[in-house]
């Protein structure tokens, strides 16, 4: 468990063994459809961008604060962003119902709905359940700041970086607080070290062009090397950190404001914690993205998915230690949920990152380890998000990699339940443990959220798409194609080559709308050319295969 007290002592010294699962988490979000999957998921004209704001005057205010961003996305996607208003309190099932009844109220094509969704406001004005309702197949992200100035600063920073000169390559910076505790030791051995190797391998095989580096915080870790390493990176950078998140002091939080200011801060043991007070203005990962693995790193929910389960373990004595200490940091009855102060401060910082990926609720090592059958490290689950960001994917698209793990866990849990011959019968202890581990994996991955605009991306030059022509594909012309070629009417050779280049780039995956705009033609005209190209090519290939 990646949770520590203010003095740096971990709340749990050893691992939990989930021998029994008590209670269910929020329902799964297995998608029953996918939005324009045939097009580039990063293309706003195809995937669209919209906003979900709270109802009432608070929502009106927040929409006014991000209006420059709304207008910017309007220009980019060629259509006005859709705006939705949601209530402040929705259970998981009510959020799914809101999605069906409000978001998908139109019975027309779902492809017209925005897939990139920017949620506005803290968790007590726009519930976390909405993010869960869309996490399976959409790209949600959230903006939350304590003051209006925070929203204005973030929007101005994002627009500035979207106009910035693009860099040829980015950098991954991996660091862990090696405080000697079991959780951070597992993070080093099972995530950071093999994750570094995976990213370097991706560079060697030509699928990624980035610098991959480790940031050494030293044997006696403190925030100083971190500040120095991210103050002025030479290229757009993704920071991935592993640490404990600061939890409640012994006996629990007595003042709500203290919890909101400190819970989830990056813990450095005896050197204290990196808190929101340290990051309002000093340069910290400018234009980058911070992926922070720590308990409550992104926020604290109103009801923990683990609360009943941990309480049941403590009551039954199925854990040799005392998980009661963990409960001190969990939300008390009536406590308001909140986004952590640390990411709010760093995102509002004009010289801070464009996005923050972190954990709401307790964070475990399940996200990068399988324990249901045998212990297997899975660093690729989290490193896939880093890799996506460094390839130029938008932040929401990159986070989608974690949703795949949630979907796989959901599927396995469902299959195990379906195969039970006697669903009411007691399961053997080993099977109970297996399902508990799968449930923990599902909950751990589900708790990662994106703070910031989900359409934000590193200022990188778009990665090269395959560029080829028929001449490249067939350097020795096949005589069986001669009839088809000689029957074509004479046209301007340069114009034909340019059009063919646009068609081939689209067939290689580039968005049709953006290519049409570059060529100075309508989307429909370019689509007609693509269709004609495909029809003629298939006819020629058919004659070739028939030996004519």
């Amino acid at each position: 468990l990646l949770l520590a007290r203010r003095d740096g002592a971990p709340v749990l010294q050893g691992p939990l063994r989930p021998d029994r699962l008590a209670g269910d988490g929020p329902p799964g979000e297995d998608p029953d459809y996918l939005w324009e999957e045939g097009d580039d998921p990063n293309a706003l004209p195809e995937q669209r961008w919209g906003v979900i704001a709270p109802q009432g005057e608070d929502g009106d205010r927040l929409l006014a604060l991000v209006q420059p961003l709304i207008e910017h996305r309007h220009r980019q996607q060629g259509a006005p962003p859709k705006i939705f208003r949601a209530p402040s309190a929705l259970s998981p099932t009510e959020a799914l119902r809101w999605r069906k009844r409000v978001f998908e109220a139109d019975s027309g094509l779902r492809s017209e709905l925005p897939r990139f969704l920017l949620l506005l406001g803290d968790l007590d004005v726009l519930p976390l359940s909405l993010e869960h309702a869309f996490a399976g197949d959409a790209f949600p992200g959230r903006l939350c700041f304590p003051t209006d100035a925070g929203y204005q600063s973030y929007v101005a920073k994002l627009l500035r970086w979207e106009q910035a000169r693009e860099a040829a390559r980015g950098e991954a910076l991996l660091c862990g607080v090696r405080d000697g505790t079991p959780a951070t030791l597992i993070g080093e051995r099972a995530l950071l070290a093999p994750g570094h190797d995976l990213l370097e391998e991706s560079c060697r095989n030509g699928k990624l062009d980035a610098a991959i580096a480790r940031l050494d915080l030293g044997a006696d870790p403190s925030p100083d090397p971190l500040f120095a390493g991210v103050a002025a990176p030479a290229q757009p950078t993704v920071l991935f950190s592993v640490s404990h998140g600061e939890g409640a002091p012994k006996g629990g939080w007595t003042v709500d404001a203290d919890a909101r200011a400190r819970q989830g801060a990056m813990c450095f043991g005896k050197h204290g914690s990196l808190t929101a007070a340290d990051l309002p203005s000093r340069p910290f990962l400018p234009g980058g993205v911070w992926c922070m693995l720590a308990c409550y790193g992104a926020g604290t929910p109103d009801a923990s998915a683990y609360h009943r389960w941990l309480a049941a373990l403590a009551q039954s004595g199925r854990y040799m230690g005392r998980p009661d200490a963990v409960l001190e940091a969990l939300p008390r009855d009536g406590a308001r949920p909140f986004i952590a102060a640390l990411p709010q401060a760093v995102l509002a910082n004009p010289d801070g990152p464009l996005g923050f990926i972190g954990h709401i609720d307790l964070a475990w090592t399940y996200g990068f380890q399988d324990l249901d059958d045998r212990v297997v490290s899975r660093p690729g689950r989290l490193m896939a998000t880093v890799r996506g960001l460094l390839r130029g994917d938008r932040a929401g698209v990159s986070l989608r990699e974690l949703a795949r793990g949630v979907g796989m866990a959901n599927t396995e849990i469902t299959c195990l339940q379906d195969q039970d011959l006697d669903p009411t019968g007691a399961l053997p202890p080993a099977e109970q443990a297996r399902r508990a581990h799968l449930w923990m994996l599902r909950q751990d991955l589900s708790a990662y959220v994106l703070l910031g605009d989900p359409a934000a991306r590193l200022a990188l030059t778009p990665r090269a798409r395959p560029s080829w022509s028929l001449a490249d594909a067939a350097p020795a012309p096949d005589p069986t194609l001669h009839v088809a070629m000689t029957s074509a009417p004479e046209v301007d050779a340069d114009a034909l080559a340019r059009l063919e280049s646009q068609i081939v780039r689209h067939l290689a995956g580039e968005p049709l709308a953006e290519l049409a705009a570059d060529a100075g033609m309508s989307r429909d005209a370019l689509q007609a050319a693509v269709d004609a190209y495909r029809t003629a090519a298939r006819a020629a290939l058919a004659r070739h295969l028939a030996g004519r």
Side-chain angles (χ1 to χ4, degrees):
L1 178 68
L2 294 163
L3 181 68
R5 299 193 188 283
R6 186 174 297 185
D7 62 4
V11 173
L12 289 184
Q13 295 289 344
L16 276 174
R17 299 188 180 277
D19 300 301
R20 175 176 293 181
L21 176 63
D24 295 321
E29 295 85 28
D30 286 336
D32 58 357
Y33 63 90
L34 296 171
W35 303 348
E36 299 296 4
E37 286 291 329
D39 289 314
D40 181 359
N42 294 289
L44 295 185
E46 278 73 32
Q47 308 298 347
R48 300 298 178 91
W49 181 94
V51 181
I52 302 178
Q55 296 173 341
E57 294 182 357
D58 196 27
D60 295 339
R61 177 181 60 85
L62 295 175
L63 286 170
L65 291 171
V66 301
Q67 187 59 34
L69 179 57
I70 293 174
E71 294 173 356
H72 178 64
R73 298 296 183 221
H74 183 171
R75 291 189 294 270
Q76 286 184 316
Q77 67 185 22
K82 292 182 182 293
I83 309 296
F84 300 89
R85 308 296 287 268
S88 60
L90 290 170
S91 69
T93 54
E94 289 170 340
L96 293 169
R97 189 177 299 119
W98 181 89
R99 171 172 172 164
K100 289 192 295 186
R101 294 182 177 179
V102 179
F103 185 79
E104 298 178 3
D106 186 356
S107 60
L109 292 175
R110 288 192 176 106
S111 60
E112 295 303 313
L113 293 172
R115 196 173 184 185
F116 289 90
L117 294 168
L118 179 63
L119 284 68
L120 299 177
D122 210 334
L123 298 178
D124 58 342
V125 297
L126 208 60
L128 177 64
S129 58
L130 278 176
E131 272 155 297
H132 288 161
F134 287 98
D137 57 348
F139 307 131
R142 181 185 292 262
L143 282 185
C144 168
F145 300 101
T147 65
D148 291 358
Y151 290 92
Q152 294 167 332
S153 177
Y154 176 83
V155 170
K157 174 176 63 176
L158 178 59
L159 296 182
R160 184 176 75 250
W161 275 100
E162 295 210 353
Q163 303 299 322
R165 177 177 298 178
E166 296 171 335
R169 65 204 301 256
E171 178 182 30
L173 199 57
L174 312 182
C175 75
V177 178
R178 294 180 293 169
D179 54 13
T181 61
T184 56
L185 180 62
I186 293 173
E188 173 67 31
R189 292 180 176 177
L191 176 59
L192 293 178
H196 178 274
D197 293 342
L198 284 177
L199 293 173
E200 285 202 326
E201 180 184 358
S202 190
C203 291
R204 287 194 299 270
N205 63 28
K207 294 184 177 180
L208 179 66
D209 182 16
I212 313 299
R214 293 293 303 273
L215 178 58
D216 188 2
L217 301 182
D220 185 24
S222 75
D224 293 334
L226 178 61
F227 284 131
V230 300
Q235 54 246 341
T237 299
V238 178
L239 171 66
F240 193 105
S241 65
V242 176
S243 70
H244 288 289
E246 185 175 316
K250 199 165 187 177
W253 297 107
T254 58
V255 179
D256 183 54
D258 292 342
R260 298 176 75 91
R262 297 194 65 93
Q263 184 136 299
M266 187 176 180
C267 188
F268 284 85
K270 68 180 182 180
H271 290 287
S273 298
L274 178 61
T275 70
D278 301 311
L279 297 173
S281 58
R282 68 187 302 168
F284 190 97
L285 201 64
V289 175
W290 186 2
C291 302
M292 178 184 180
L293 174 52
C295 284
Y296 303 113
T300 299
D302 54 356
S304 171
Y306 306 101
H307 191 288
R308 289 184 295 166
W309 179 75
L310 287 169
L313 279 179
Q315 185 176 5
S316 65
R318 289 183 178 271
Y319 175 59
M320 292 182 293
R322 292 181 55 82
D324 306 46
V326 176
L327 304 180
E328 295 173 348
L330 298 179
R332 298 179 182 274
D333 292 340
R336 290 186 300 159
F338 56 88
I339 295 297
L342 179 64
Q344 291 187 63
V346 77
L347 290 175
N349 184 341
D351 289 320
L354 304 178
F356 180 98
I357 294 173
H359 218 275
I360 290 186
D361 210 335
L362 298 171
W364 306 81
T365 60
Y366 281 90
F368 55 90
Q369 280 190 310
D370 283 350
L371 301 176
D372 58 293
D373 183 24
R374 56 191 178 90
V375 179
V376 179
S377 296
R378 303 288 188 189
R381 286 195 190 115
L382 297 174
M383 290 300 117
T385 294
V386 176
R387 178 178 177 271
L389 290 164
L390 292 173
R391 282 167 58 88
D393 289 339
R394 299 186 189 274
V397 176
S398 298
L399 187 62
R400 177 76 172 83
E401 293 293 337
L402 293 180
R404 302 180 194 277
V406 176
M408 291 178 66
N410 282 339
T411 300
E412 188 168 0
I413 291 171
T414 301
C415 289
L416 289 172
Q417 292 173 338
D418 287 344
Q419 75 181 19
D420 291 341
L421 297 177
D422 182 7
T424 62
L427 294 171
E431 186 61 21
Q432 290 180 3
R434 178 186 180 187
R435 299 188 188 197
H437 284 303
L438 285 171
W439 183 87
M440 287 290 291
L441 167 62
R442 183 216 177 274
Q443 294 302 125
D444 197 31
L445 290 175
S446 297
Y448 284 95
V449 299
L450 168 65
L451 302 177
D453 182 3
R457 69 202 314 176
L458 299 180
L460 297 170
T461 303
R463 62 180 183 268
R465 300 282 185 174
S467 178
W468 56 275
S469 67
L470 287 179
D472 297 325
D478 190 328
T480 61
L481 298 178
H482 180 70
V483 174
M485 298 300 293
T486 55
S487 61
E490 292 187 7
V491 296
D492 181 86
D494 290 339
L496 182 61
R498 287 194 297 271
L499 180 57
E500 181 185 17
S501 175
Q502 300 296 97
I503 293 170
V504 171
R505 287 171 61 190
H506 174 62
L507 295 178
E510 294 194 35
L512 190 70
E514 294 179 12
L515 291 170
D518 290 343
M521 59 194 302
S522 70
R523 189 183 190 281
D524 290 343
L526 183 54
Q527 182 65 65
V530 170
D531 294 342
Y533 193 86
R534 282 175 167 156
T535 300
R538 287 170 180 167
L541 285 174
R543 287 192 293 270
H544 173 65
L545 293 174
R548 289 185 290 145

